[in-house]
Amino acid sequence: MKKKILILICAVVVMTSCNSEKNKTTSKSDTAKLQIETPDFSADSAFSFVKSQTDFGPRVPNSEAHKKCARFLKESMEKYCDQVIMQSFNAKTYDGNKLNCWNIIASFAPEKEKRILLAAHWDSRHIADHDPIEENRSKPISGANDGASGVGVLMEVARQLNLKNPTIGVDIIFFDAEDYGTPNSENIPGDWWCLGSQYWAKNPHKQNYKADYGILLDMVGASNATFYHEGISSHFAPAIVSKIWGVSYRLGFGKYFINEGANTITDDHYYINTLAKIPMIDIIHQERNSETGFYPYWHTTQDNIDNIDSNTLEVVGKTVLSVIYEEK
Ligand code: AHN
Ligand code: ZN
């Protein structure tokens, strides 16, 4: 009797192990198939890149946190990219301040002719001027979404490009001083937003720098973000908009990347299009029913790491990576 039970147990063990072996094989080949269609992109890694930035505190130009974060971004990108250039410059603000700034330019295969440009801004806004609570409006923001999210996605993109090199060359620029524009309550004529991209467009890191096109990420980390065809993007680079929204739809991200027009935003890509003459689109979270047209915590103290959703980072990262790997 005991022997019979033992045999039975052995048989069950062998059967289940065979079975699980079979399942393993099936799921492995499934994964391999999926990998061809969707590139590897770790949402957790991207999230931790966002958190590392916000852990420094608000990255307002001239602050200690800003300086420390610049160093962190430089050293991180040096691990993944072939070349990193720190482009330092001074910028004059709407209130007569002088800011010490850096555009951080990281390149893959800088010698290649055919290349694309990816960008996000790494500074965070000095004032939460859209905060519902009056006392908060003079405080700086954490900028987890507005700034750090785009940079975090591009850091993970860089980590993946280092693991699996694309055919084309890629430049990743983290622009400084995008968000030091005039307070909501003031109207001071002048180009006070996007100071880093304005500087780079007039002083590219390389003479005769060329890229086929560019992709800007701005506010790509909120839950259920909605990315519409932004106005400047559709005006200067309609074919790039179609390409990117098409890739995203094929990956199953149609809930995020919506094929409808939306507001025109003065963002870094405006200066890359008009001054550097590189067609660049903006993947930026807009909402039809919010007061500002942006996500509800825009330029408030609530734009912090607690309101970052790694699913959104993943959707954007996988879309950008697929676009890059499809370029030959
Ligand atoms: C304007 O509100 C004119 N531009 C906003 C661009 C921006 C600010 N993106 C992030 N923060
Ligand atoms: Zn902003």
Side-chain angles (χ1 to χ4, degrees):
M1 187 64 182
K2 254 191 187 161
K3 214 177 182 182
K4 256 191 195 162
I5 291 175
L6 199 69
I7 290 169
L8 198 72
I9 291 172
C10 284
V12 168
V13 167
V14 169
M15 269 165 63
T16 46
S17 74
C18 275
N19 225 339
S20 75
E21 200 46 50
K22 203 168 145 203
N23 283 340
K24 231 194 223 161
T25 322
T26 322
S27 74
K28 232 185 202 167
S29 74
D30 277 357
T31 317
K33 226 192 254 163
L34 274 174
Q35 277 170 357
I36 295 163
E37 289 155 13
T38 18
D40 286 338
F41 179 93
S42 164
D44 289 347
S45 171
F47 184 90
S48 88
F49 285 135
V50 176
K51 184 166 184 303
S52 298
Q53 295 169 74
T54 58
D55 282 348
F56 288 110
R59 282 88 55 226
V60 176
N62 291 359
S63 70
E64 204 50 41
H66 181 260
K67 215 186 266 172
K68 284 185 182 152
C69 188
R71 189 194 170 105
F72 163 73
L73 295 174
K74 172 181 182 281
E75 289 175 357
S76 302
M77 295 305 267
E78 277 171 347
K79 282 189 224 161
Y80 308 131
C81 306
D82 297 318
Q83 182 189 79
V84 178
I85 294 172
M86 297 296 280
Q87 180 180 55
S88 90
F89 65 99
N90 291 318
K92 210 188 109 203
T93 66
Y94 65 88
D95 54 357
N97 263 349
K98 193 187 97 177
L99 305 178
N100 298 311
C101 299
W102 295 274
N103 289 327
I104 302 165
I105 304 151
S107 301
F108 288 90
E111 73 290 348
K112 282 187 181 161
E113 268 289 304
K114 188 174 167 66
R115 48 202 314 107
I116 68 170
L117 169 60
L118 311 174
H121 75 90
W122 73 273
D123 62 306
S124 62
R125 185 155 175 75
H126 58 308
I127 46 171
D129 49 344
H130 278 93
D131 203 284
I133 299 165
E134 165 107 55
E135 304 95 87
N136 285 343
R137 291 184 200 149
S138 58
K139 294 179 185 164
I141 70 167
S142 173
N145 196 27
D146 190 356
S149 67
V151 170
V153 166
L154 294 181
M155 290 175 82
E156 174 60 8
V157 164
R159 193 176 75 85
Q160 295 297 341
L161 293 180
N162 183 44
L163 296 172
K164 185 184 161 203
N165 289 339
T167 314
I168 56 164
V170 176
D171 302 293
I172 298 176
I173 307 188
F174 298 148
F175 290 122
D176 203 351
E178 187 273 347
D179 232 348
Y180 214 103
T182 42
N184 185 33
S185 54
E186 286 172 56
N187 193 359
I188 304 163
D191 287 359
W192 303 117
W193 299 88
C194 309
L195 303 178
S197 52
Q198 291 190 58
Y199 183 84
W200 180 82
K202 293 171 192 158
N203 307 274
H205 62 290
K206 241 181 171 175
Q207 266 195 344
N208 298 314
Y209 174 82
K210 279 191 185 69
D212 286 9
Y213 62 91
I215 304 172
L216 177 67
L217 307 185
D218 197 1
M219 304 188 268
V220 293
S223 283
N224 304 309
T226 41
F227 306 116
Y228 295 94
H229 298 184
E230 178 279 329
I232 305 272
S233 311
S234 295
H235 178 79
F236 287 97
I240 309 306
V241 171
S242 300
K243 186 208 292 258
I244 293 168
W245 266 251
V247 166
S248 189
Y249 181 81
R250 273 194 279 126
L251 291 170
F253 305 146
K255 188 174 80 92
Y256 293 84
F257 282 76
I258 298 165
N259 274 312
E260 289 171 28
N263 290 341
T264 290
I265 311 294
T266 308
D267 207 343
D268 289 318
H269 70 318
Y270 173 71
Y271 297 100
I272 306 308
N273 278 299
T274 56
L275 300 177
K277 314 278 186 205
I278 297 168
M280 185 180 226
I281 67 107
D282 196 5
I283 300 177
I284 182 168
H285 181 164
Q286 299 198 58
E287 285 190 17
R288 296 204 188 287
N289 297 321
S290 79
E291 227 170 277
T292 60
F294 296 112
Y295 74 109
Y297 298 137
W298 183 66
H299 292 181
T300 75
T301 53
Q302 295 302 298
D303 179 2
N304 58 41
I305 195 71
D306 298 337
N307 290 312
I308 293 296
D309 184 339
S310 59
N311 291 307
T312 306
L313 303 174
E314 185 175 24
V315 158
V316 174
K318 284 188 169 173
T319 300
V320 170
L321 269 177
S322 290
V323 169
I324 298 169
Y325 288 129
E326 280 184 20
E327 296 292 351
K328 291 281 150 1

